[in-house]
Amino acid sequence: MTELSESRVPVGVTGAGEWVYLAREGGWSSLTHSSPVFLVTALQHGAAFHSDLRERLVAVGLTPSVADTFPVDSSIRLGLTWPTEFWQQAALDWLEREGRAEAFLPELEALVHTGGTQQIRHTARRLVRAARQQAHE
């Protein structure tokens, strides 16, 4: 089991490689089939997220490549749809750094109109344009 330090919610990997978290009710729940709000906190780790996660996996004897299966898309989607500027910006920063904006076009298109700041709206617009251009190439 590895734990996301900022979230204070125990997160682990099953023997089958499925990411799970300890729900308030006391049982383990799948991160693959749900998007609990604490997942948004992965965004604040930025570029260090995957390398930190790999280090924790190795420390507990697991294969570091398991980090690549963490449902980070759920974190990004939560950030893009969060009602505060901090998480919106963190999700946009992630997409600018890591790419894959095309997977989040509906959320980005919404931010073009509803983003908390002019910077957020402009960044969302730029990412939408770039993703559409890439799709037509």
Side-chain angles (χ1 to χ4, degrees):
M1 160 122 77
T2 187
E3 196 170 315
L4 295 174
S5 60
E6 298 297 321
S7 70
R8 298 187 183 154
V9 175
V11 172
V13 180
T14 67
E18 180 180 17
W19 286 94
V20 294
Y21 71 101
L22 188 58
R24 285 188 176 163
E25 300 79 36
W28 291 96
S29 294
S30 171
L31 284 176
T32 307
H33 305 295
S34 66
S35 295
V37 294
F38 77 84
L39 275 180
V40 76
T41 62
L43 297 175
Q44 70 190 7
H45 296 279
F49 176 76
H50 280 103
S51 61
D52 290 349
L53 185 54
R54 281 185 186 90
E55 286 178 21
R56 287 188 294 234
L57 289 165
V58 168
V60 297
L62 295 173
T63 307
S65 63
V66 173
D68 297 332
T69 66
F70 187 85
V72 74
D73 284 6
S74 296
S75 301
I76 296 167
R77 191 161 278 109
L78 282 167
L80 292 172
T81 59
W82 206 266
T84 62
E85 299 164 12
F86 179 83
W87 294 118
Q88 291 173 3
Q89 188 63 57
L92 291 171
D93 292 346
W94 189 292
L95 289 175
E96 285 190 305
R97 185 180 56 254
E98 304 291 329
R100 298 193 348 81
E102 65 280 358
F104 303 95
L105 279 176
E107 294 84 3
L108 289 167
E109 289 169 342
L111 270 187
V112 167
H113 303 288
T114 63
T117 66
Q118 184 177 20
Q119 178 182 350
I120 288 170
R121 292 187 298 274
H122 286 190
T123 302
R125 185 175 290 115
R126 187 174 62 253
L127 288 169
V128 166
R129 260 191 248 126
R132 285 186 180 150
Q133 283 178 342
Q134 191 175 27
H136 288 97
E137 290 178 357

